Amino acid sequence: MSTMEAIGGLMANSNNIDVVSNNIANASTIGFKSSTLSFFDIVSSSFCSNKVIGSGVGVSNMRQNFSNGILMQTGRDLDLGIVQDGFFRVLNSKGYVYYTRNGQFLLDKDKNIINMDGMYLTGQNQFDLKNNLNNISKLEPINLKKSDILKSKQTNIIKLHADLVENNHPSTNTITGSNDDISNSEINNITVYDKNGQAENINIFINKDENEWTIKIESNDINNLNDEKIDDTIHLKFDSEGKLNSDSNIQIKSKKFKNLTLNLECTLKKSNDGNNTIQLSQDGYPEGHLTSFEILNNGEIIGQYTNQKVEKIGQIFLSKFVNPEKLKPESGNVWSATQEAGNENIGIAGDRGFGTIISKTLESSNVNLNKELINMIVAQRNYQSSAQAFKTEDKIINTLINLR
């Protein structure tokens, strides 16, 4: 073996030891992907003869292994793991985009979702998109500050579903409800909300007078001025089959509520037995404050508010590449895009080949320590063998020099 071949072996195996050592060092790094070196042989030929001889070894490529690591349960809302393909897309303070499988995130003082190095997790903010999620044309740092307060919504529709029994006399019954659907309740009011988010209780009575059914709606708030109180009567008409024959959407007369509609779904059953079944609901709510949130498998961020409302407040999107092995590793357990990796493809988690996001979990390093320790032994022996070859070649040269 010539000196250059021995040196080539030393350099190649030294690089291999570096790669294996780096894998072992990052065995506990969240989202880390192990790497291996690819070698190629070098051959040379002479102009004076057709003889081809081996001239050592070279390093052709470092291959990154993007197989999934094991998901570990953590219980933290902002610990996220990805199953199968995809990267979290993060943005540094200078606007450069990076990609990571490390799902350790937290909230900064401005309620941006950031990773441990202060890079911003990108996606979409619900309140900036006017309820238009799943649109990847505009990605930005996800910020929960704008979702802290859910503005009140005036009640516009009261839904009343009634299954009435013809020979039942409900004149003494008050049919009531709350924000949620109820049935056969004894509570005598339903709460509605004005344009300022102020609650008002109203009573709803269903009465039968001779052969006519009526619904009476009236305010139950003594603090209301007389001209602002709700006081309306609605007459119901049914056909021979018991189906509602009168208008099912009725504007309730009220100066305080400009566009309050009663939506009726009523049927009349001819029977001497049975009770009336009533369900009430309405679409308004008071102002609420964000108390907690959860992240779904498709990346949607769902907020829970003090007014019991549950709203979408944002969405995390994933990125992937045709050839992720050609992404450039950067410090901080992130990668940057390269031309060899192909164009970035952004999409919804769980859709069109993208992996799913699992909340309250983290993806462990995919380093196999047993395998890496074996690789270290092999690389060390190869290095020692190349060093021994170099020493042997050195002795041969010294012998030639000392010939007399």
Side-chain angles (χ1 to χ4, degrees):
M1 178 182 281
S2 70
T3 303
M4 295 305 298
E5 291 157 353
I7 292 174
L10 285 170
M11 294 178 64
N13 286 291
S14 176
N15 289 336
N16 195 22
I17 291 173
D18 290 342
V19 171
V20 174
S21 298
N22 186 59
N23 289 341
I24 294 173
N26 286 283
S28 298
T29 302
I30 298 300
F32 179 80
K33 301 302 176 184
S34 61
S35 301
T36 56
L37 284 186
S38 295
F39 301 100
F40 66 93
D41 61 329
I42 301 173
V43 297
S44 60
S45 58
S46 173
F47 288 106
C48 301
S49 69
N50 293 325
K51 185 178 180 180
V52 177
I53 59 173
S55 298
V57 64
V59 178
S60 63
N61 192 8
M62 185 180 74
R63 293 180 290 111
Q64 301 180 84
N65 174 17
F66 279 97
S67 63
N68 280 187
I70 297 172
L71 290 182
M72 305 178 298
Q73 295 283 342
T74 65
R76 284 188 71 245
D77 291 331
L78 284 174
D79 281 346
L80 306 175
I82 300 174
V83 178
Q84 300 301 327
D85 294 339
F87 296 88
F88 296 112
R89 188 177 185 273
V90 294
L91 197 70
N92 70 5
S93 58
K94 296 181 179 179
Y96 295 111
V97 177
Y98 296 93
Y99 309 92
T100 184
R101 295 279 295 195
N102 184 349
Q104 292 177 301
F105 296 104
L106 49 86
L107 292 177
D108 67 7
K109 61 182 179 63
D110 296 317
K111 290 200 172 182
N112 295 297
I113 300 180
I114 60 173
N115 69 2
M116 296 301 169
D117 290 326
M119 295 184 181
Y120 302 99
L121 178 64
T122 63
Q124 292 180 336
N125 295 299
Q126 168 77 0
F127 285 81
D128 288 341
L129 291 173
K130 298 181 180 179
N131 299 323
N132 184 22
L133 284 180
N134 300 336
N135 178 3
I136 61 175
S137 61
K138 179 185 177 184
L139 296 184
E140 59 189 350
I142 297 176
N143 183 281
L144 302 184
K145 193 170 186 178
K146 295 180 181 179
S147 305
D148 271 350
I149 298 176
L150 181 65
K151 293 181 179 180
S152 62
K153 180 179 182 297
Q154 178 179 316
T155 299
N156 292 315
I157 297 175
I158 299 174
K159 289 186 178 181
L160 187 155
H161 181 91
D163 294 322
L164 305 176
V165 179
E166 184 174 21
N167 293 326
N168 183 287
H169 297 281
S171 57
T172 60
N173 296 335
T174 301
I175 315 304
T176 65
S178 64
N179 296 345
D180 301 315
D181 291 346
I182 63 169
S183 179
N184 295 327
S185 173
E186 294 297 328
I187 304 173
N188 64 350
N189 63 76
I190 182 173
T191 302
V192 295
Y193 299 91
D194 63 18
K195 62 181 180 180
N196 298 317
Q198 297 299 314
E200 179 172 340
N201 295 324
I202 61 174
N203 291 336
I204 297 180
F205 303 89
I206 293 184
N207 300 294
K208 183 181 179 184
D209 182 14
E210 296 181 355
N211 293 322
E212 185 180 39
W213 290 84
T214 59
I215 296 177
K216 183 172 179 58
I217 305 172
E218 63 180 27
S219 295
N220 192 27
D221 192 344
I222 60 175
N223 294 321
N224 271 346
L225 299 175
N226 288 332
D227 61 345
E228 291 184 346
K229 285 186 177 182
I230 296 175
D231 189 1
D232 203 356
T233 301
I234 299 162
H235 299 273
L236 303 181
K237 295 181 180 179
F238 297 92
D239 61 18
S240 58
E241 296 180 355
K243 296 180 180 180
L244 187 65
N245 204 18
S246 54
D247 193 356
S248 60
N249 290 295
I250 300 164
Q251 194 81 13
I252 297 175
K253 298 175 183 178
S254 171
K255 289 187 176 181
K256 189 174 183 180
F257 296 86
K258 298 298 183 182
N259 296 298
L260 184 58
T261 300
L262 179 65
N263 177 259
L264 296 174
E265 295 181 7
C266 299
T267 58
L268 180 63
K269 181 172 66 173
K270 296 182 180 181
S271 174
N272 293 321
D273 300 320
N275 296 316
N276 298 326
T277 302
I278 309 298
Q279 292 179 335
L280 283 172
S281 64
Q282 56 88 34
D283 63 348
Y285 48 81
E287 180 178 280
H289 295 266
L290 186 67
T291 57
S292 62
F293 61 88
E294 63 175 331
I295 298 173
L296 305 184
N297 291 348
N298 65 353
E300 288 185 356
I301 305 173
I302 307 298
Q304 288 86 36
Y305 289 85
T306 54
N307 58 6
Q308 309 303 315
K309 296 296 293 181
V310 176
E311 295 286 334
K312 297 176 184 177
I313 59 177
Q315 185 161 19
I316 301 167
F317 290 96
L318 298 181
S319 296
K320 68 176 183 176
F321 297 84
V322 175
N323 186 12
E325 292 183 0
K326 289 296 184 180
L327 291 172
K328 181 183 176 183
E330 305 277 1
S331 297
N333 200 13
V334 297
W335 290 267
S336 57
T338 64
Q339 288 185 346
E340 292 82 3
N343 293 328
E344 177 188 9
N345 185 15
I346 302 172
I348 302 166
D351 184 39
R352 295 184 294 114
F354 285 89
T356 56
I357 296 174
I358 309 297
S359 64
K360 300 183 181 181
T361 64
L362 289 174
E363 182 186 5
S364 63
S365 168
N366 68 354
V367 172
N368 184 329
L369 270 179
N370 292 330
K371 180 180 177 181
E372 296 301 331
L373 290 173
I374 293 172
N375 290 341
M376 177 63 77
I377 293 171
V378 172
Q380 183 181 6
R381 286 182 177 177
N382 291 341
Y383 187 89
Q384 290 172 339
S385 298
S386 295
Q388 189 63 41
F390 181 81
K391 288 167 65 177
T392 301
E393 186 67 24
D394 184 58
K395 288 180 181 180
I396 293 173
I397 293 173
N398 284 334
T399 299
L400 292 174
I401 292 172
N402 293 326
L403 284 177
R404 295 183 180 179

